Amino acid sequence: MHPWLLLLLPLHALASTDRPRGVAPELAARYVPARKGGSDVWQCLDGSKTIEWSAVNDDYCDCPDGSDEPGTGACPNSRFYCVNEGHIGAFIPSSRVNDGHCEPECCDGSDEAPGICKNVCQEVGAAYRERVRAEHKIRKTGSKIRSTYIAFAQKEKKRLEQELAQTEQEIVAREKEVARLKDLVDRTESLSAAALEARRESPLYQSLVTHHIALKSLQNAYEKHLEREKDLGDILDNLRTGYNPNYQDMAVLEAVRGWEQLAGLPHINDVGKGGDDSAEEGSDDVKEGQEEEEQLEDGLWSESQLEDELEEIYNTDYDALLIEHDKHVGAPASPSSILFDLTAYLPDAIVPQYEALRDSILSLLGVASPARGSPESADDSRLQKALSDAEHSLGLTRREKEQYEKELQRLFDPEWYGSEGEWKKLHGTCIDKEVGDYVYEVCFFDEARQKPLKGGSTFSLGHFESWNNAPGVEKGSPEYYRKQRYTRGAKCWNGPQRSVTLDMSCGTENAVLSVGEPEKCEYEFKVTSPALCLPLSAAEEKNALSGKKDEL
């Protein structure tokens, strides 16, 4: 080789004659010639052919896989490696080598002959490293916020589990209440009106009703006394704060002193002086002491119990108590009930003949036959309403349980809130962007909307459908959470239903950066969220410092 030919070689080739031009460092070991028959030979990377070592990078494509021409454009299917010292090495198609254009991927200009392209790798590498540092700073801040989202999901899990356990207990209690009321309704329906009326004549029932009326009367009187006591207290308070002690009116003074003692208040002349706080505190202690001194006899209710539980006693269904009392003591059924209920066991064809015979026998005995088709009594209606209300409450509680189970199942589902639940906190969080005459809004996992600024209708742009369901995207991967689809929005005029794709990236806040409409009625929101900020790995931190490329 003539010495002047060395000037045509790029600098990196002079530095390493062991590695042909355009070969990546990881493939250098495979570009080593072998001795055969006194000459150097080389095998194509796919093993399909052995050629002379001198045929490598001779600007003629010998290997079917194009691996013999990494540094020229002779093979259309080969790749050229740019060393890019000071930045990051990169591959370009070999067809772009020596084409007279400086490829941005080859900042060192090694894809062209010396002198054509400048080596700008130092500047490009410095700018890249600065950008990486800024992005890593955002990721670090965002990942801290993301960790609070994950902590929220853990708390939400505990809350849902507690709510679920409590709801299950409520369901058991409500099922028992429904069963109890059903039994009462069935037993009431089996009783004739005459039999129920006979039970109401019992001394026990009459006594309960009398006690009920007496309690109600006492409550009315008690409430009137409370109102009068309050009015009197207001009058005495006004007298206490408004009278002039200099007039020496002993009657007024005695009234004020008596009220202060009864109410546990400090003397009005002491209020506002030094130690008035202790006086007020002392009055509270007097009140508490008076309350503690009032010891109730065993079994008597306190004032708070009277206020809270009397209403429940007033609303007691005494007819239902009668039925439950019969069940408790094992009272036999009405003597006529078996006879009257036989129609339930007879074929429909002979029921009319049976009823006619029954009525004849009862008329001879002087016993009134049951009324046919008579409406339910008011007592039966109350029981039926209570049963209907209890069944409705049971249904609502069961639906609550289903909702809690669904939320718990979605909490760590990759197709919903992520395997760590990092998206749960954002459910229902709304972010927007003003563009032109509209505000574009999206509420995560709910709906996207277009709101006019100058009046008019708000249009739905779609409801949440899924994450990134593009082919080849693995569920739960970082790429999977970079897009959200909102579909089934309001229909466009002479167009499709509106839809939105959220193109998301890591950011320190949840925000809409821009809004576009690449296709008619198909919108694209550029969105940032801390939920996408994964913590930096040790390798990424190291690569950032050394300038090596990593996935951000």
Side-chain angles (χ1 to χ4, degrees), residues 133-150 420 422-423 425-426 505-510 528-536:
R133 277 193 290 270
E135 291 175 345
H136 281 189
K137 183 178 180 180
I138 292 174
R139 273 186 62 182
K140 287 180 179 180
T141 304
S143 65
K144 291 179 181 178
I145 301 174
R146 181 178 183 271
S147 65
T148 65
Y149 293 175
I150 295 173
E420 295 182 286
E422 65 271 21
W423 292 94
K425 187 175 177 63
L426 297 182
S505 59
C506 167
T508 56
E509 60 181 9
N510 298 292
T528 60
S529 174
L532 282 165
C533 298
L534 299 177
L536 293 176

Side-chain angles (χ1 to χ4, degrees), residues 105-123:
E105 294 90 338
C106 289
C107 60
D108 60 357
S110 59
D111 59 311
E112 301 297 328
I116 294 180
C117 300
K118 291 183 179 180
N119 186 339
V120 293
C121 284
Q122 293 297 329
E123 295 87 340

Side-chain angles (χ1 to χ4, degrees), residues 69-102:
E69 297 298 322
T72 72
C75 298
N77 56 342
S78 62
R79 296 193 307 165
F80 178 86
Y81 179 77
C82 310
V83 177
N84 293 341
E85 186 175 351
H87 185 38
I88 301 168
F91 284 99
I92 62 171
S94 292
S95 58
R96 290 156 58 182
V97 174
N98 295 329
D99 61 354
H101 296 284
C102 299

Side-chain angles (χ1 to χ4, degrees), residues 417-521:
Y417 304 126
S419 58
E420 295 182 286
E422 65 271 21
W423 292 94
K424 172 62 179 175
K425 187 175 177 63
L426 297 182
H427 187 134
T429 299
C430 299
I431 54 178
D432 57 45
K433 177 75 173 179
E434 183 176 325
V435 179
D437 294 333
Y438 296 95
V439 171
Y440 292 88
E441 177 188 68
V442 60
C443 298
F444 288 111
F445 302 99
D446 187 7
E447 186 179 12
R449 304 176 186 88
Q450 182 191 55
K451 301 178 179 180
L453 290 172
K454 300 179 181 179
S457 301
T458 295
F459 289 101
S460 171
L461 301 182
H463 298 78
F464 175 72
E465 180 184 81
S466 67
W467 291 99
N468 189 0
N469 55 6
V473 176
E474 182 182 355
K475 291 179 181 179
S477 65
E479 185 63 27
Y480 182 68
Y481 297 114
R482 291 188 187 277
K483 292 185 185 295
Q484 265 193 353
R485 291 278 296 153
Y486 290 75
T487 59
R488 297 170 285 109
K491 194 175 187 302
C492 280
W493 177 256
N494 287 333
Q497 283 185 299
R498 291 173 171 87
S499 64
V500 173
T501 298
L502 303 189
D503 187 358
M504 299 192 288
S505 59
C506 167
T508 56
E509 60 181 9
N510 298 292
V512 179
L513 302 183
S514 64
V515 176
E517 189 178 2
E519 298 290 340
K520 182 179 181 181
C521 299

Side-chain angles (χ1 to χ4, degrees), residues 255-370:
V256 170
R257 289 292 176 86
W259 171 239
E260 289 173 344
Q261 183 178 3
L262 179 63
L265 299 171
H267 185 46
I268 188 62
N269 292 342
D270 297 332
V271 176
K273 299 179 181 179
D276 57 332
D277 293 339
S278 61
E280 291 288 348
E281 291 174 2
S283 67
D284 294 337
D285 295 339
V286 170
K287 288 181 182 179
E288 293 176 3
Q290 290 174 347
E291 292 175 359
E292 290 175 359
E293 289 174 1
E294 295 179 3
Q295 297 294 330
L296 297 174
E297 296 181 19
D298 292 341
L300 293 184
W301 285 10
S302 65
E303 185 175 342
S304 61
Q305 285 179 294
L306 287 171
E307 292 178 355
D308 296 339
E309 301 182 29
L310 265 183
E311 193 65 31
E312 185 177 346
I313 293 179
Y314 297 147
N315 295 328
T316 300
D317 188 340
Y318 290 103
D319 289 336
L321 283 179
L322 272 179
I323 306 301
E324 288 192 284
H325 178 71
D326 287 347
K327 183 178 178 181
H328 176 70
V329 301
S334 170
S336 59
S337 62
I338 297 177
L339 180 63
F340 292 157
D341 287 346
L342 279 177
T343 55
Y345 307 97
L346 295 175
D348 293 341
I350 64 173
V351 167
Q353 294 88 336
Y354 161 73
E355 290 181 342
L357 177 62
R358 180 194 64 190
D359 293 344
S360 300
I361 295 174
L362 292 176
S363 63
L364 291 174
L365 296 175
V367 179
S369 62

